[in-house]
């Protein structure tokens, strides 16, 4: 059964739409992955900031002890 011009055009349009839908699906999956990476980076940076505050408090405590001894 030979394909008419209308059939070929319709097949091209349907193929193009399928490719667009598939591309959008991939983009959504990538966006979710990037969002998870962002959340993990925020969590890591918060932990680093908390550790920095602990270090600063400890440094101040040690400096106070050293000043008292002098």
């Amino acid at each position: 059964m030979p394909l008419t011009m209308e059939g070929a055009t319709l097949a091209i349009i349907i193929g193009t739409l399928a490719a667009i839908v598939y591309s959008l699906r991939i983009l959504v999956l990538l966006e979710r992955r990037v969002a998870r990476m962002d959340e993990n980076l925020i969590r890591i940076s918060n932990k680093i900031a908390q550790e920095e505050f602990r270090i600063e408090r400890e440094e101040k405590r040690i400096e106070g002890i050293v000043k008292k001894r002098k």
Side-chain angles (χ1 to χ4, degrees):
M1 167 168 111
L3 207 58
T4 64
M5 184 62 85
E6 291 174 352
T9 304
L10 187 60
I12 291 170
I13 291 171
I14 290 173
T16 303
L17 288 175
I20 291 169
V21 168
Y22 181 76
S23 297
L24 288 173
R25 180 177 173 267
I26 297 298
L27 284 174
V28 167
L29 292 174
L30 287 174
E31 195 276 331
R32 288 180 187 168
R33 183 176 290 177
V34 169
R36 272 183 279 160
M37 289 171 59
D38 285 344
E39 290 172 4
N40 288 334
L41 286 172
I42 289 170
R43 248 186 256 125
I44 290 169
S45 62
N46 286 338
K47 286 181 183 180
I48 291 171
Q50 289 174 354
E51 188 63 27
E52 287 290 328
F53 289 136
R54 280 192 216 125
I55 291 169
E56 287 177 5
R57 278 196 310 261
E58 186 67 19
E59 285 177 347
K60 287 179 183 177
R61 187 183 72 78
I62 292 171
E63 286 174 359
I65 292 171
V66 170
K67 285 182 182 178
K68 285 181 184 178
R69 289 187 180 176
K70 288 185 177 183

